[in-house]
Structure formats: structure tokens, C-alpha cells
Amino acid sequence: MNKKGVIIGVVVIAIIVGVAASLSSTPTETVNIDMTRTHGTISTSMGSPILGDPSAPVTIVEFGDYQCHQCYNWFHNTKPAITRDYIDTGKANLIFVDMAFLGRDSGPAAQATYCAEDQGMYWEYHDTLYNSQEDKIDNGWANTERLKAFAFSMGLDMDLFESCLDSGKYSKRVQYNTQQARDHGVRGTPGFFIVGPDGQQQIAGAQPFSVFKQILDPLV
């Protein structure tokens, strides 16, 4: 074989190896949801699965942090009535979008919910975090060890969950969501947008059920 043929052969082999490597490489982040999903002006594509009927006329977008005490209060004091009167009846649905900014454990806690989503248990893990929240931020209740313990108690496949959490698979997803909150003027958690057929309205803070009812009823 002449020198030219050897060079061509080496180039061909290099191309084949490169293509094979690109096909076999594992992406650092996998999002098995509609990347074009938006509600009003908000990209919810990286947020939670939709809670309730996806075709409901109104969507409640909640921006929250799992270490946020007011988010805890809203989860326990207001969300049950909203679920009963609007989500369970098909009048509205809800999407949770992370604003993970309060402490070092906020980001990993948010990532853990998406690791649970990989096993079809996003909302169960979400609820576990808000049922397990403790008073102080970053006191260890949501550290990596506890996040794994929550998954174990829920019967998740621990090899899959730990691999997901330890790799930071969903870190960029959480960063994207947090930026969505900032882009839409959310300065603290919880923050809400009620998105209906004719636009969206913002609600700041853990407002009582009556405030949501006043906005939701004319839309549904």
C-alpha cells in the first residue's frame, strides 16, 4: 500500500471511531418531557410533570424552594383546598418550577425530585420533601444522605437513584428553572402565576386560599 493509501485509511478509521464515540456517549442530562412546553410567558419544559388534567383551562405555576418555610406553609395550608376544588375537578392544573436559591441543599433536593421522576415518582418525592422539612436551612435534613434515605423509604431503585443524584444529572435543569423565576420577577418563594386563556396574573407569597379563589373562579 502506498503512502497516500495509508493516510486515507487512517483518516477513515479516525472518522469511524469518532462517530462511534458520539453515538455511544451518554448525555449528562436527560429530560423526557416536551422541551417546547410553555404556559403564558413561562417555559415550564424543565419543571415538574403536570399535576391534574393537562387540558384544564387554567395552569397554576408555582416557583418554590424545598427549604422555604413559607412554601411549606402553603403546601400544608392552601394547596389541599386548591387540589380539592380545582385540580381534582379538572378546572386547573399545577406545575412546580424550582427556584432553588436558599441554601446549599436546595439544589440537590430539587435534583432529587427529577431522579425520582425517572422512576415515575416525582410528586411522591416532592410531597415527602415538604412533609419532612425542618426549621433551619441547611441543617442537614435535605443533605445527600437524607435525600437518599427518602428514596429508600419510598422503595425506589437505589442504584438508579444514587447514580442520578451523585452525577448531578439534573443540575442544569434546576439552574434553568431558577433562572426562569428570576426572569419573571420572582424575588422570593413561593411565587405563583395563574395562567388562563387571556393572560397570566402573579401572586407573591404563601397567600391563603381566598386569594387564589378570587383569581381562579372567574377563569374556570
Side-chain angles (χ1 to χ4, degrees):
M1 182 180 294
N2 60 32
K3 185 176 180 180
K4 184 177 180 180
V6 172
I7 294 173
I8 293 173
V10 171
V11 171
V12 170
I13 292 172
I15 292 172
I16 292 172
V17 170
V19 171
S22 66
L23 292 176
S24 63
S25 62
T26 302
T28 57
E29 184 166 342
T30 302
V31 182
N32 56 352
I33 51 181
D34 180 5
M35 294 301 296
T36 64
R37 192 179 75 181
T38 61
H39 289 84
T41 63
I42 305 164
S43 171
T44 59
S45 60
M46 294 284 197
S48 74
I50 295 174
L51 181 64
D53 184 353
S55 63
V58 175
T59 294
I60 303 168
V61 179
E62 175 189 358
F63 287 100
D65 184 310
Y66 290 105
Q67 295 199 97
C68 162
H69 305 321
Q70 289 303 314
C71 298
Y72 172 96
N73 291 336
W74 188 86
F75 176 86
H76 288 279
N77 299 329
T78 303
K79 187 179 178 182
I82 288 178
T83 300
R84 179 195 67 217
D85 289 0
Y86 297 98
I87 297 174
D88 288 348
T89 59
K91 296 178 180 179
N93 57 46
L94 183 143
I95 299 172
F96 185 88
V97 182
D98 314 286
M99 187 177 181
F101 75 114
L102 286 174
R104 64 177 179 271
D105 291 339
S106 297
Q111 293 174 46
T113 64
Y114 299 120
C115 292
E117 182 188 7
D118 285 346
Q119 300 185 47
M121 296 190 71
Y122 173 90
W123 285 109
E124 291 84 353
Y125 199 95
H126 171 98
D127 293 355
T128 294
L129 290 178
Y130 276 130
N131 283 320
S132 303
Q133 188 192 102
E134 296 180 8
D135 290 339
K136 293 185 179 180
I137 294 171
D138 288 342
N139 75 340
W141 79 266
N143 63 22
T144 299
E145 182 179 346
R146 289 292 300 278
L147 295 174
K148 292 176 180 178
F150 296 144
F152 179 81
S153 69
M154 293 168 57
L156 294 179
D157 182 317
M158 292 308 297
D159 287 338
L160 291 176
F161 184 87
E162 290 181 359
S163 174
C164 174
L165 189 61
D166 291 343
S167 69
K169 177 181 178 181
Y170 290 120
S171 60
K172 291 181 180 179
R173 182 173 180 175
V174 173
Q175 291 169 13
Y176 178 89
N177 287 338
T178 301
Q179 189 59 49
Q180 279 293 298
R182 292 177 175 138
D183 289 347
H184 284 81
V186 180
R187 297 292 176 256
T189 51
F192 304 88
F193 287 86
I194 310 300
V195 184
D198 300 321
Q200 61 193 41
Q201 300 181 59
Q202 186 171 2
I203 299 176
Q207 299 297 331
F209 175 70
S210 58
V211 172
F212 285 85
K213 180 177 174 61
Q214 185 177 6
I215 294 175
L216 287 168
D217 279 354
L219 301 176
V220 298

